[in-house]
Amino acid sequence: LLNFFYAIVLSLILSFLVKITYIKVGKSLNDKSYFSDTFIPLALITTLVITVIKFSLALSLGLVGALSIVRFRAAIKEPEELVYLFLIIAIGLGCGANQLAITTVGIIFALILIVIYSGYMKNSRKNIEDNINLGVIIDQDISDTQINNLITEIKKVSSELKFISMSRTENNTTINFDVKPKKFEKLSILSGQIKK
């Protein structure tokens, strides 16, 4: 009972740390606080289940059968959410198996990596904040020369230009660029040049 109490308390603390980390540094567009409300109960339930079945081969085989019937059906829209769910399940498995030290070190190490990576991504994103996605849709199939002229005009008003994609049909040409304008005011000039 004492070991189970330690496992439950540690599971609660670690899942709460994962929840706080997810709310603070997660890049999910969904409601982060609503999604993370499941973290603590999921960790506690996983800890309880693993604690109960670890002493019985029959129960563990029964769990495999039960899991094949009752599948996890949460609407996961972003891969990041899956990472956090796996962290929570790892907490439950580790604490339920009474591997408290390894679980604590592993989860804290993972959270530190997530925070560092999130800070790195935030800094690298600052460099591309001034970029805009420019989509040019022309209601006719234009020649390669006209496309080169278009690119030349865009280069005049931008400091960086990255070709993303192009699709052409008999009556439509769509071209996408990532553009870093020298001045945003020049975009209206560019619009006029494209129309010409």
Side-chain angles (χ1 to χ4, degrees):
L1 282 176
L2 192 61
N3 288 341
F4 176 66
F5 176 75
Y6 290 148
I8 286 288
V9 169
L10 184 64
S11 178
L12 185 109
I13 292 167
L14 290 176
S15 58
F16 183 73
L17 287 175
V18 171
K19 176 178 177 165
I20 295 298
T21 305
Y22 175 69
I23 290 171
K24 295 289 183 188
V25 302
K27 295 179 287 296
S28 175
L29 300 175
N30 298 328
D31 186 0
K32 289 191 277 192
S33 60
Y34 175 74
F35 181 73
S36 64
D37 284 344
T38 61
F39 286 3
I40 293 172
L42 180 61
L44 295 176
I45 290 167
T46 308
T47 302
L48 176 64
V49 169
I50 297 301
T51 302
V52 169
I53 69 162
K54 74 179 176 182
F55 298 112
S56 168
L57 180 63
L59 284 175
S60 60
L61 290 173
L63 179 68
V64 171
L67 290 177
S68 66
I69 297 166
V70 183
R71 290 181 294 166
F72 190 71
R73 291 192 175 272
I76 303 298
K77 296 183 180 74
E78 299 177 35
E80 181 189 32
E81 293 175 351
L82 221 87
V83 169
Y84 284 96
L85 282 176
F86 271 114
L87 275 174
I88 293 299
I89 292 169
I91 290 169
L93 291 172
C95 291
N98 222 16
Q99 301 294 322
L100 305 183
I102 292 172
T103 304
T104 304
V105 170
I107 296 299
I108 289 175
F109 182 72
L111 292 179
I112 289 169
L113 279 180
I114 288 170
V115 169
I116 290 170
Y117 183 71
S118 172
Y120 169 76
M121 289 304 291
K122 195 179 286 185
N123 288 338
S124 65
R125 231 179 283 124
K126 284 179 183 175
N127 297 330
I128 59 169
E129 277 179 355
D130 294 336
N131 286 6
I132 60 166
N133 184 265
L134 175 65
V136 181
I137 302 170
I138 301 166
D139 292 329
Q140 60 183 355
D141 184 17
I142 60 173
S143 68
D144 292 340
T145 307
Q146 289 172 306
I147 291 171
N148 287 333
N149 291 341
L150 175 67
I151 292 171
T152 305
E153 291 300 323
I154 295 171
K155 281 183 178 177
K156 287 179 184 176
V157 296
S158 61
S159 57
E160 289 178 24
L161 174 69
K162 182 180 177 187
F163 177 81
I164 301 297
S165 66
M166 179 175 79
S167 64
R168 294 166 82 172
T169 62
E170 292 177 3
N171 52 9
N172 190 306
T173 302
T174 304
I175 308 172
N176 287 302
F177 302 98
D178 269 348
V179 178
K180 187 170 187 177
K182 292 175 184 172
K183 291 183 180 176
F184 278 94
E185 300 81 35
K186 291 192 176 182
L187 288 178
S188 58
I189 299 168
L190 176 62
S191 177
Q193 294 293 90
I194 291 171
K195 284 178 184 174
K196 280 185 189 177

